[in-house]
Amino acid sequence: MRNQSIVDYLRGQGLKVIEEDIESKIDLWNSWYIGEVNSVHNYNVYEGKKKIPVKLKSLKMGARVCQDWADLLLNERVQITCADEYTQSVLARLIKQSNFYVRGNNLIETAFAKGGGFFVEYWDGSKTSIKYLTQDLCYPISYDGSRLTEVAFASKKTIAGKKYTYLETHLIDPQTGYYVIDNVLLSSDGKRLKEVDESFYEEHNLIPKVITQSTEPLFQMIRPNVANKEDFDSVFGTSVFADALDVLECVDIAYDAHPREIRLGKKRLFAKDSVTNVHINPETGEETRVFDANDEAFYLIKGDTEDGTPPIIECNMSLRIAELNLELQTQLDILSQKCGFGNNYYRWDSGSITTATEVISTNSKMFRTLKKHELVLNDAIVTMARGLLYTEALFTGDKRIKYDESITVDFDDSIIEDTAEIKRQASSEYAMGIISQTEYVKKVYKYDDEQASNFIKKMKEQRAAELASEPIQNEPEGA
């Protein structure tokens, strides 16, 4: 969470940090993401004489919601494509070496829980890479009403066994309009933070300052496309389940009721103590009941067999499993609606949570919500790709990289569209002459006009090369 020492250090550098009361909200969202909110999952029950501590079991649906959105938005089927062939090959390599599909998915998950996160492109001393940071590590400096323009990020870094605060600021040079990135390592003396000596940066191959020639930042914010209802102009994002905290609590109460129902409803046998055998030690006279004290089925009650009541009373509680299942499913349906998945996305099935697998309608709430989240993520990924290419070109001097070329993101629409049916229909239409080759490629591969033309040209060149390399078959004699 926000460190006041870092705020004081930035102020000492003449920078004003935008102050918002966000820490408590992020802390609460994170607790629901983990699945343990102290005020909800740890409580006391008065049993007649004293209060006993009770722990509420958690289904951890906060994490499940974020995981499902991350898997829908960024998976191995998402394609990031650049129009220039050489630049595309470089971009593919950079994305792979940055572990983008794994770490990016992880970031979306945690960002959807905590309200936001950042891609930060940088040169690590030997290669271009990406940092994946959540918004609790962000110290906003400038905001233009639609996006952060200047920011500081604080994280921990361990060098030679010692921990440092790694602070990087992304600021706009007022004279050139270009971004300048300052990387500062801070050590603590117990009272305040101070920067390490200049020689420390050289010794550990760290770059203290990067003067870019770019007006675009090398950081991009991702967040759920959900309005902040308390502060519309907030620089921080809102958790995807911010409006469903009470539902998450109801889900856990309903889930916890299942094992509690089993414990409270188990079979019991109430036996009068007069019917249990007693063994008397002849030497000490001590009485010991010949009764298994660990048998949970029996409960001894005072009384004898002469009062006319049965010596052993059997108690069979009826279990309300069907009613509890119905209540849990009801809460899951509400949660599904509240978090943008629409009706019946989550199902309580044989003791586990399953999700809908059928192709969804383009008219559904889930489709609209998915496309809404993609709007934010698309801009972030495209700008991130440009940032990777720019950083690679800047530090390697590779002038063949065209980072201003068209970059597109093709999201995975398999849950929305039946891709096999699309290919079958496109093939049929192409065979009948209804659509052109270019239109076929656009439909099947989701390319724009330029990418489709380049793809067809490349395929024709490859086919021509293959034909040219094939051996010529001589006609048999006498033919």
Side-chain angles (χ1 to χ4, degrees), residues 263 266-271 291-301 312-316:
R263 287 197 300 271
K266 65 184 180 180
K267 183 184 185 74
R268 290 177 171 84
L269 296 173
F270 296 94
F291 187 85
D292 186 359
N294 294 319
D295 192 335
E296 295 181 351
F298 284 91
Y299 290 79
L300 293 182
I301 56 177
I312 297 178
I313 302 173
E314 183 179 9
C315 180
N316 290 307

Tab-separated table of all heavy atoms in Angstrom, residues 263 266-271 291-301 312-316:
chain	number	residue	atom	x	y	z
A	263	ARG	N	-22.788	-31.239	10.040
A	263	ARG	CA	-22.352	-31.412	11.434
A	263	ARG	C	-23.542	-31.372	12.397
A	263	ARG	O	-23.645	-32.178	13.319
A	263	ARG	CB	-21.343	-30.326	11.811
A	263	ARG	CG	-19.972	-30.507	11.195
A	263	ARG	CD	-18.938	-29.656	11.917
A	263	ARG	NE	-19.275	-28.236	11.835
A	263	ARG	CZ	-18.879	-27.438	10.864
A	263	ARG	NH1	-18.143	-27.937	9.867
A	263	ARG	NH2	-19.200	-26.161	10.859
A	266	LYS	N	-26.202	-34.563	11.948
A	266	LYS	CA	-25.796	-35.964	12.002
A	266	LYS	C	-26.622	-36.740	13.036
A	266	LYS	O	-27.203	-36.161	13.963
A	266	LYS	CB	-24.308	-36.065	12.336
A	266	LYS	CG	-23.944	-35.563	13.722
A	266	LYS	CD	-22.438	-35.605	13.936
A	266	LYS	CE	-22.077	-35.105	15.334
A	266	LYS	NZ	-20.618	-35.139	15.556
A	267	LYS	N	-26.659	-38.044	12.884
A	267	LYS	CA	-27.443	-38.926	13.756
A	267	LYS	C	-26.884	-38.885	15.178
A	267	LYS	O	-25.672	-38.904	15.395
A	267	LYS	CB	-27.377	-40.354	13.218
A	267	LYS	CG	-28.214	-41.364	13.988
A	267	LYS	CD	-27.979	-42.751	13.407
A	267	LYS	CE	-28.874	-43.769	14.071
A	267	LYS	NZ	-30.275	-43.656	13.641
A	268	ARG	N	-27.816	-38.825	16.164
A	268	ARG	CA	-27.423	-38.823	17.566
A	268	ARG	C	-28.257	-39.842	18.332
A	268	ARG	O	-29.452	-40.026	18.044
A	268	ARG	CB	-27.589	-37.438	18.187
A	268	ARG	CG	-26.586	-36.406	17.680
A	268	ARG	CD	-26.862	-35.046	18.297
A	268	ARG	NE	-25.811	-34.091	17.996
A	268	ARG	CZ	-25.731	-33.365	16.894
A	268	ARG	NH1	-26.675	-33.520	15.964
A	268	ARG	NH2	-24.744	-32.524	16.707
A	269	LEU	N	-27.644	-40.476	19.332
A	269	LEU	CA	-28.322	-41.411	20.235
A	269	LEU	C	-28.155	-40.906	21.654
A	269	LEU	O	-27.024	-40.804	22.154
A	269	LEU	CB	-27.732	-42.817	20.100
A	269	LEU	CG	-27.900	-43.496	18.736
A	269	LEU	CD1	-27.110	-44.798	18.700
A	269	LEU	CD2	-29.366	-43.760	18.434
A	270	PHE	N	-29.276	-40.537	22.299
A	270	PHE	CA	-29.251	-40.054	23.680
A	270	PHE	C	-29.532	-41.241	24.609
A	270	PHE	O	-30.616	-41.852	24.562
A	270	PHE	CB	-30.298	-38.958	23.880
A	270	PHE	CG	-30.018	-37.717	23.060
A	270	PHE	CD1	-30.598	-37.550	21.811
A	270	PHE	CD2	-29.164	-36.741	23.530
A	270	PHE	CE1	-30.339	-36.429	21.051
A	270	PHE	CE2	-28.901	-35.616	22.780
A	270	PHE	CZ	-29.479	-35.451	21.539
A	271	ALA	N	-28.534	-41.580	25.418
A	271	ALA	CA	-28.641	-42.749	26.305
A	271	ALA	C	-28.614	-42.304	27.759
A	271	ALA	O	-27.800	-41.458	28.150
A	271	ALA	CB	-27.513	-43.722	26.027
A	291	PHE	N	-17.742	-47.504	28.106
A	291	PHE	CA	-18.398	-46.706	27.058
A	291	PHE	C	-17.308	-46.007	26.265
A	291	PHE	O	-16.363	-45.461	26.843
A	291	PHE	CB	-19.330	-45.681	27.717
A	291	PHE	CG	-20.175	-44.908	26.753
A	291	PHE	CD1	-21.377	-45.420	26.296
A	291	PHE	CD2	-19.762	-43.662	26.295
A	291	PHE	CE1	-22.154	-44.712	25.411
A	291	PHE	CE2	-20.528	-42.946	25.415
A	291	PHE	CZ	-21.734	-43.461	24.970
A	292	ASP	N	-17.400	-46.062	24.969
A	292	ASP	CA	-16.388	-45.427	24.118
A	292	ASP	C	-16.573	-43.911	24.142
A	292	ASP	O	-17.523	-43.372	23.550
A	292	ASP	CB	-16.508	-45.944	22.677
A	292	ASP	CG	-15.391	-45.422	21.797
A	292	ASP	OD1	-14.547	-44.645	22.294
A	292	ASP	OD2	-15.369	-45.777	20.597
A	293	ALA	N	-15.686	-43.245	24.819
A	293	ALA	CA	-15.814	-41.791	24.955
A	293	ALA	C	-15.631	-41.065	23.625
A	293	ALA	O	-16.026	-39.911	23.472
A	293	ALA	CB	-14.787	-41.281	25.963
A	294	ASN	N	-15.034	-41.750	22.653
A	294	ASN	CA	-14.803	-41.117	21.349
A	294	ASN	C	-15.940	-41.371	20.352
A	294	ASN	O	-15.870	-40.940	19.207
A	294	ASN	CB	-13.488	-41.627	20.742
A	294	ASN	CG	-12.282	-41.190	21.553
A	294	ASN	OD1	-12.229	-40.053	22.020
A	294	ASN	ND2	-11.346	-42.098	21.741
A	295	ASP	N	-16.969	-42.125	20.785
A	295	ASP	CA	-18.102	-42.404	19.907
A	295	ASP	C	-18.993	-41.170	19.861
A	295	ASP	O	-19.674	-40.839	20.837
A	295	ASP	CB	-18.870	-43.611	20.424
A	295	ASP	CG	-19.877	-44.132	19.394
A	295	ASP	OD1	-20.300	-43.329	18.536
A	295	ASP	OD2	-20.218	-45.320	19.462
A	296	GLU	N	-18.992	-40.484	18.697
A	296	GLU	CA	-19.723	-39.224	18.581
A	296	GLU	C	-21.224	-39.428	18.490
A	296	GLU	O	-21.997	-38.483	18.630
A	296	GLU	CB	-19.249	-38.462	17.337
A	296	GLU	CG	-17.805	-38.029	17.412
A	296	GLU	CD	-17.378	-37.257	16.174
A	296	GLU	OE1	-18.165	-37.215	15.208
A	296	GLU	OE2	-16.280	-36.701	16.181
A	297	ALA	N	-21.674	-40.653	18.246
A	297	ALA	CA	-23.110	-40.890	18.075
A	297	ALA	C	-23.862	-40.837	19.401
A	297	ALA	O	-25.043	-40.517	19.440
A	297	ALA	CB	-23.357	-42.218	17.383
A	298	PHE	N	-23.199	-41.176	20.519
A	298	PHE	CA	-23.872	-41.278	21.818
A	298	PHE	C	-23.676	-40.027	22.654
A	298	PHE	O	-22.579	-39.458	22.722
A	298	PHE	CB	-23.347	-42.502	22.597
A	298	PHE	CG	-23.898	-43.801	22.096
A	298	PHE	CD1	-23.238	-44.521	21.110
A	298	PHE	CD2	-25.088	-44.313	22.615
A	298	PHE	CE1	-23.749	-45.727	20.648
A	298	PHE	CE2	-25.594	-45.522	22.153
A	298	PHE	CZ	-24.930	-46.234	21.161
A	299	TYR	N	-24.784	-39.617	23.294
A	299	TYR	CA	-24.762	-38.516	24.245
A	299	TYR	C	-25.438	-39.002	25.523
A	299	TYR	O	-26.592	-39.463	25.492
A	299	TYR	CB	-25.516	-37.295	23.702
A	299	TYR	CG	-24.817	-36.605	22.563
A	299	TYR	CD1	-24.894	-37.126	21.271
A	299	TYR	CD2	-24.062	-35.459	22.765
A	299	TYR	CE1	-24.251	-36.512	20.218
A	299	TYR	CE2	-23.414	-34.841	21.721
A	299	TYR	CZ	-23.509	-35.362	20.448
A	299	TYR	OH	-22.857	-34.748	19.406
A	300	LEU	N	-24.726	-38.969	26.630
A	300	LEU	CA	-25.287	-39.424	27.904
A	300	LEU	C	-26.108	-38.324	28.543
A	300	LEU	O	-25.713	-37.157	28.581
A	300	LEU	CB	-24.171	-39.856	28.853
A	300	LEU	CG	-23.382	-41.112	28.445
A	300	LEU	CD1	-22.351	-41.437	29.519
A	300	LEU	CD2	-24.315	-42.291	28.241
A	301	ILE	N	-27.275	-38.717	29.039
A	301	ILE	CA	-28.121	-37.781	29.774
A	301	ILE	C	-28.470	-38.408	31.117
A	301	ILE	O	-28.500	-39.641	31.273
A	301	ILE	CB	-29.417	-37.451	28.996
A	301	ILE	CG1	-30.196	-38.719	28.657
A	301	ILE	CG2	-29.097	-36.671	27.731
A	301	ILE	CD1	-31.516	-38.470	27.967
A	312	ILE	N	-32.929	-45.380	25.551
A	312	ILE	CA	-32.125	-44.831	24.449
A	312	ILE	C	-33.075	-44.147	23.462
A	312	ILE	O	-34.057	-44.755	23.017
A	312	ILE	CB	-31.312	-45.917	23.744
A	312	ILE	CG1	-30.294	-46.544	24.701
A	312	ILE	CG2	-30.584	-45.332	22.523
A	312	ILE	CD1	-29.473	-47.656	24.086
A	313	ILE	N	-32.804	-42.899	23.172
A	313	ILE	CA	-33.643	-42.119	22.256
A	313	ILE	C	-32.840	-41.824	20.989
A	313	ILE	O	-31.746	-41.270	21.051
A	313	ILE	CB	-34.106	-40.803	22.895
A	313	ILE	CG1	-34.880	-41.087	24.179
A	313	ILE	CG2	-34.959	-40.003	21.917
A	313	ILE	CD1	-35.223	-39.851	24.973
A	314	GLU	N	-33.378	-42.227	19.867
A	314	GLU	CA	-32.714	-42.010	18.575
A	314	GLU	C	-33.188	-40.680	17.975
A	314	GLU	O	-34.383	-40.386	17.965
A	314	GLU	CB	-33.037	-43.156	17.621
A	314	GLU	CG	-32.333	-43.036	16.284
A	314	GLU	CD	-32.665	-44.202	15.362
A	314	GLU	OE1	-33.576	-44.998	15.701
A	314	GLU	OE2	-32.028	-44.316	14.310
A	315	CYS	N	-32.245	-39.905	17.522
A	315	CYS	CA	-32.566	-38.593	16.930
A	315	CYS	C	-31.978	-38.525	15.519
A	315	CYS	O	-30.755	-38.563	15.342
A	315	CYS	CB	-32.003	-37.461	17.784
A	315	CYS	SG	-32.347	-35.818	17.141
A	316	ASN	N	-32.835	-38.471	14.525
A	316	ASN	CA	-32.404	-38.362	13.127
A	316	ASN	C	-32.843	-37.004	12.568
A	316	ASN	O	-34.033	-36.786	12.344
A	316	ASN	CB	-33.025	-39.483	12.282
A	316	ASN	CG	-32.442	-40.840	12.632
A	316	ASN	OD1	-31.232	-41.008	12.625
A	316	ASN	ND2	-33.297	-41.789	12.967
